[in-house]
Amino acid sequence: PTITEAYSCTLNPGQTMADFDKAAAAWQADMDEIPGGDQYFAAVLTPLRANVPFDLLWLGSSANLNNWAKNTAVYNESAEGRAAQRRFDKVAMCGSGLWYAETLHEGLAPAEVGSTSVVEAYQCSLREGKTLANVSAANASWLGVIKAESVASPAVAKFDGYMFTPFLANVDYDVAY
């Protein structure tokens, strides 16, 4: 499965999103110089309507756990990676975790995915006696409804949907969408 790392970040005193954006732009240039840097996807999310204890969320994705571990080691050991990390540390304090990511639905063509998007997210806890098998069954049922509804109204399916299951994360929920 795809591995996603999430960093929930709070800007340091006196720092702004513009400062973080500058650090992220420099990070992108540095990643171009690091072997395997092109095998990592990252996005920055800023809360619009949420009760969250952070200013931004960095989502980074690798094809699998081996790819993530190898590229993380290269990043941490390279001069470019250390310089990028110093820039991030100057502007924000971040906590992190790892999740398995599963694509549930792909309804957007790559050309439709822009650099700015709205993301709706849910963090869910399993009810007593329920398991991830129950979650998978509910997801399958939901996807059946989306497929049926999209026949009459194709716009219903114009979104991408993902499920994240904590792997190494100190969180108080079982799955996130």
Side-chain angles (χ1 to χ4, degrees), residues 33-113:
E33 302 301 319
I34 297 173
D38 60 342
Q39 298 174 25
Y40 182 88
F41 167 81
V44 175
L45 308 177
T46 52
L48 295 175
R49 183 184 61 126
N51 183 19
V52 295
F54 53 82
D55 297 315
L56 64 104
L57 186 66
W58 173 284
L59 293 179
S61 185
S62 296
N64 56 55
L65 190 56
N66 287 335
N67 182 273
W68 173 83
K70 182 179 93 177
N71 289 337
T72 297
V74 170
Y75 176 82
N76 289 337
E77 294 167 5
S78 70
E80 294 88 356
R82 288 190 303 274
Q85 196 57 53
R86 281 191 300 276
R87 284 191 293 274
F88 282 130
D89 291 344
K90 179 180 176 187
V91 297
M93 175 73 73
C94 302
S96 67
L98 285 178
W99 284 260
Y100 288 118
E102 178 183 352
T103 301
L104 299 177
H105 177 73
E106 288 185 305
L108 297 174
E112 295 177 287
V113 178

Side-chain angles (χ1 to χ4, degrees), residues 4-17:
T4 298
E5 58 185 343
Y7 292 88
S8 54
C9 303
T10 302
L11 295 171
N12 290 331
Q15 301 295 311
T16 66
M17 275 306 298

Side-chain angles (χ1 to χ4, degrees), residues 41-43 45 105-119 157-162:
F41 167 81
L45 308 177
H105 177 73
E106 288 185 305
L108 297 174
E112 295 177 287
V113 178
S115 62
T116 301
S117 299
V118 173
V119 175
K158 296 293 264 182
F159 67 93
D160 290 341
Y162 306 92

